[in-house]
Amino acid sequence: MISPETTTVTTSYTTFDSPLGELLLVGEESATAPGGAALTSLSMPQQRGVTVQPYWRRDPGPFAEAVRQLRAYFAGERTRFELAFRTAGTEFQERVWRALEAIPYGTTTTYGRLADVVGLPRGDVRALGAAIGANPLLILRPCHRVIGADGTMRGYAAGVERKIALLTHEGALQPTLI
């Protein structure tokens, strides 16, 4: 964990009410990012390991563009995000996260197919699942689009019910009628 004593980078955050609940957006100052902050995290309610740190500054200003794009996504008007990210994963995690960005809106892929894309032997799919589970940018790097080979909804950091809601929103799943 980075503490205020070990960094001079300003970390800001804001929240955004979405159809999935309140989203937490976190970013670090960046001279090149729109609004002045590169996103480092987008998380959802009840997601483990994500808490506001006392040295973070609450400031919605740097996130105006991210919020605008998220609103357009939830309104069905946007299928891709064009935002600055700054994540700190391992080389393998970053490679997996970049591969997630290539999964088109309204589609799904399997863990096995994604393993092929990143050049991972299918026997190492657990490592792939762990990298996907560590994705700090839910929705933006669409890990919700990765499903089991048999069509089942495997884990999702914010809960499988939110994964289903996102895939239904994107048209990859049909709504359940009761």
Side-chain angles (χ1 to χ4, degrees), residues 14-17 23 25 39 42 60-74 78 81 83 140:
T14 194
T15 56
F16 164 69
D17 287 325
L23 304 182
L25 288 82
L39 284 168
L42 187 156
F63 304 99
E65 181 60 17
V67 169
R68 185 187 72 73
Q69 289 187 33
L70 284 162
R71 279 195 176 113
Y73 168 82
F74 285 115
R78 175 172 280 279
F81 296 98
L83 299 166
L140 304 176

Side-chain angles (χ1 to χ4, degrees), residues 38-61:
L39 284 168
T40 58
S41 175
L42 187 156
S43 57
M44 296 185 202
Q46 289 86 43
Q47 188 176 334
R48 287 179 289 165
V50 181
T51 57
V52 173
Q53 300 299 309
Y55 58 92
W56 291 358
R57 180 182 57 154
R58 185 178 191 102
D59 183 2

Side-chain angles (χ1 to χ4, degrees), residues 65-164:
E65 181 60 17
V67 169
R68 185 187 72 73
Q69 289 187 33
L70 284 162
R71 279 195 176 113
Y73 168 82
F74 285 115
E77 301 164 355
R78 175 172 280 279
T79 60
R80 292 190 59 79
F81 296 98
E82 297 170 9
L83 299 166
F85 304 144
R86 183 181 297 153
T87 51
T90 66
E91 183 277 326
F92 175 69
Q93 288 173 325
E94 294 288 345
R95 189 170 40 149
V96 170
W97 298 340
R98 283 188 303 274
L100 292 173
E101 293 177 34
I103 305 168
Y105 179 93
T107 67
T108 59
T109 194
T110 65
Y111 290 90
R113 283 192 219 128
L114 192 62
D116 291 342
V117 168
V118 298
L120 187 68
R122 290 205 178 204
D124 292 338
V125 172
R126 282 194 176 145
L128 180 78
I132 292 169
N135 173 19
L137 294 167
L138 298 186
I139 304 172
L140 304 176
R141 285 188 167 153
C143 54
H144 60 276
R145 296 179 188 153
V146 183
I147 63 173
D150 60 359
T152 57
M153 299 297 120
R154 306 275 186 218
Y156 186 60
V160 172
E161 66 284 346
R162 287 193 180 97
K163 180 176 192 161
I164 292 168

